[in-house]
Amino acid sequence: EDKVVQSPLSLVVHEGDTVTLNCSYEVTNFRSLLWYKQEKKAPTFLFMLTSSGIEKKSGRLSSILDKKELFSILNITATQTGDSAIYLCAVTGNEKLTFGTGTRLTIIP
Amino acid sequence: NAGVTQTPKFRILKIGQSMTLQCTQDMNHNYMYWYRQDPGMGLKLIYYSVGAGITDKGEVPNGYNVSRSTTEDFPLRLELAAPSQTSVYFCASSYLQTGVTEAFFGQGTRLTVV
């Protein structure tokens, strides 16, 4: 059975700090790993990673995938209160898109 | 572009009632999914479909049914609503073949069973 594990489950930091969110996975016939941000409604897409070692970057957010060790990290630098959200990691395998439990990130002003 | 459209946005059901959550996508995606999200939790897969006429169970299928008669539509049916089905439901779609797209989500349906 496909499995996605995220850590930490919850994280509280001060504005301006840098955070690293982790995602490890076990999946049959890996195709892609996806990161989403969820505030009050539907998840919004951040990154899709398919190849090891290639960093994806968007502003203060970046992510990288290690297909040998089966994990990915999401980095957020110079955090702002608007970064407070649940960050979800998902993996596409043979057929299914499997999500982890998410990391709830809270940024204190 | 409409993307993924879910209806209704909110619904209150009494125990034992039934209802259908509608999901339509206009992106010609072959894969469609139904997830439920309980408070403070991640997304749990209920059912998914890899194409018209093909559906399969996810992690938490009990109490639900689906059908996929067309590429565009993937309704989720609750036959005998129970309080444990109180949750937020998301439909999503993606394209998987030689390439893969990210999953696009509907806006969600907040269901309360009383």
Side-chain angles (χ1 to χ4, degrees), chain A residues 36-87:
Chain A
Y36 286 85
K37 178 182 182 182
Q38 186 179 27
E39 295 173 269
K40 294 192 176 166
K41 292 195 174 178
T44 54
F45 173 73
L46 295 174
F47 299 112
M48 180 165 70
L49 303 151
T50 56
S51 301
S52 278
I54 299 173
E55 186 183 48
K56 292 278 182 96
K57 203 168 167 64
S58 175
R60 296 175 294 102
L61 278 68
S62 63
S63 183
I64 198 160
L65 173 68
D66 185 328
K67 287 167 75 173
K68 184 179 173 189
E69 300 297 330
L70 307 182
F71 79 90
S72 173
I73 59 171
L74 175 68
N75 278 322
I76 308 175
T77 59
T79 52
Q80 302 171 356
T81 53
D83 295 327
S84 294
I86 297 173
Y87 289 84

Side-chain angles (χ1 to χ4, degrees), chain A residues 31 36 38 42 92 95 97 101, chain B residues 31 35 37 48 96-97 103 106:
Chain A
R31 288 177 180 249
Y36 286 85
Q38 186 179 27
T92 306
E95 295 179 334
L97 177 63
T101 52
Chain B
Y31 281 61
Y35 294 91
Q37 187 175 35
Y48 67 101
L96 277 83
Q97 206 152 36

